[in-house]
Amino acid sequence: MRDVAIVSYAQTPYQSSVSAQNEVEMLMPILSEAVEKSGIPRKEIGFTCSGSTDYLAGQSFSFVMAVDALGAWPPIRESHVEMDGAWALYESWVKIQTGEVDSALIFSFGRQSMGDLPSVLCLQLDPYVLQPLHPDGISLAALQARALLDAGKSSEREWAQIAVRSRADAKDNPDALVKGDADVDAFLAESCVASPLRPHTLPPVTDGAAAMVIAAGDLARRVSEKPVWIRGIDHRLDPHMPGVRDLTVSPSTAKATEKAGGAAGVEVAELHAPFAPQEVILRDAMGLGSDVKINPSGGPLAAHPMMVAGLARIGEAARQIWGGKAGRALAHATQGPCLQQNLVTILEAD
Amino acid sequence: MADANEPVSVVGIPSRVEYTYSPGRATTRFLRAIEQKRLMGQRCTGCGKVYIPPRGACPRCGLPTDEEVELTDKGTVVSFTVVRVPSENIQLELPYAAGSILLDGADIPFQALLRDVEVADVRPGMRVQAVWVDDAELQPSFTNIKWFHPIDEPDVPFEKFQEHL
Ligand SMILES: [Zn+2]
């Protein structure tokens, strides 16, 4: 295995709507920032991979239009995944492992404000027996939350505490969208959006983009004073049909954590739990102790740009290491209904 | 009742997703100008190329195209096609010509209808000008230009536009 490190990361300030900007306008500043911070000239970056979905903009091939932001001339090696940007990182990491390239630029973007995300997420379900019932993204998360309550594994109070903690931590993150002091009892007095989920347990509608540059061993050491090493990265998935799964557990997260190197020694974990109850499932699957600081960035409850939030967890975990807040960090990304797919990355300082 | 063993070949699953589209800063400026019957392109700060309609970036350089450039509504046909096959989406009388038009001062062509000309007479290098809707009908839309038609100016030699095909 080749050593691979994150050498730079940039993200937009997350907003509830960036309607003034198109995708390209949103991307250009952060692509420039990530490339500049990487210390690798743009034309020397070996590979570029993006993660996004055209369903967000309702515009076919919007992922191709995003290439306008790259300056892809002379032609570059470029790829795209119809997944969160975390999976674009995974493809780039594999590309570096093949030995074909030594560096990669990864980016992802989402303008969720243009459509209705819960309805869009319904379209990823089985088209014959599930989609016709129109369970949207929130309803499915509510089923999962209800299963947790019924199993006695969590409580509405615990979810409110997670939301209070997220908003408090987000105060220190200039890019976060939902932040501030909040009160558990006030949260519990809210009425449900889809029982048992109250508004504070839901991810905010968010527009934004993120970009990252990774590089192989020697190059990373040469261009970066403090490369953040990807010690392990693993992607596992559970069955697509929520009905065939025990929604209170996440075997794929447990497996991915184990294969990525395990949670032992992890000081910080950035978890991509779009809905507060899902954080309980992830912590349990990973075996995270109470000494592990969860989502110091504020996490997905503070900003959840669809297709970006997973890559942002990895970027935020890297920032914790760059900032000296952790020596070993875990970052998690999810995709699919009810935490179906899970990608775990273990990051370390030198 | 269908045979229980007969394969299901068709299912109907109505689905609807609505979007509120916004085109971004660059295209918004273009659309606001065309509402005033003006054609605004944007120049790349790196290579100097002028794009119309602009999307805000130079795909060659990956840089913002911040400088606004007003262009005339005259240009040159750099390429064209003649449509002879009917389609339910086409309301026009067949055959008709559509061309790639390079506005004077622009570096990329865009597509538009070519009318008031026999299709047999359409050729690369032909000088054309926009035909606009009536002023009362102007809106923030590219459809303000109904089509382009020939003007009495000498053809432009191929060498002058070959970079812009
Ligand atoms: Zn340029």
Side-chain angles (χ1 to χ4, degrees), chain B residues 44 46-49 51 58 60-61:
Chain B
C44 173
C47 64
K49 285 190 188 300
Y51 294 93
C58 172
R60 211 179 166 92
C61 304

Side-chain angles (χ1 to χ4, degrees), chain B residues 30 33-34 36-41 52 69-74 103 110 130 132 142 145 148:
Chain B
F30 169 81
I34 205 167
Q36 309 295 324
K37 222 170 159 175
R38 297 166 65 209
L39 290 165
M40 297 302 292
I52 186 165
V69 185
E70 181 155 10
L71 301 173
T72 80
D73 65 352
K74 290 184 183 178
L103 288 187
F110 55 74
W132 296 78
F142 210 19
I145 294 178
F148 279 76

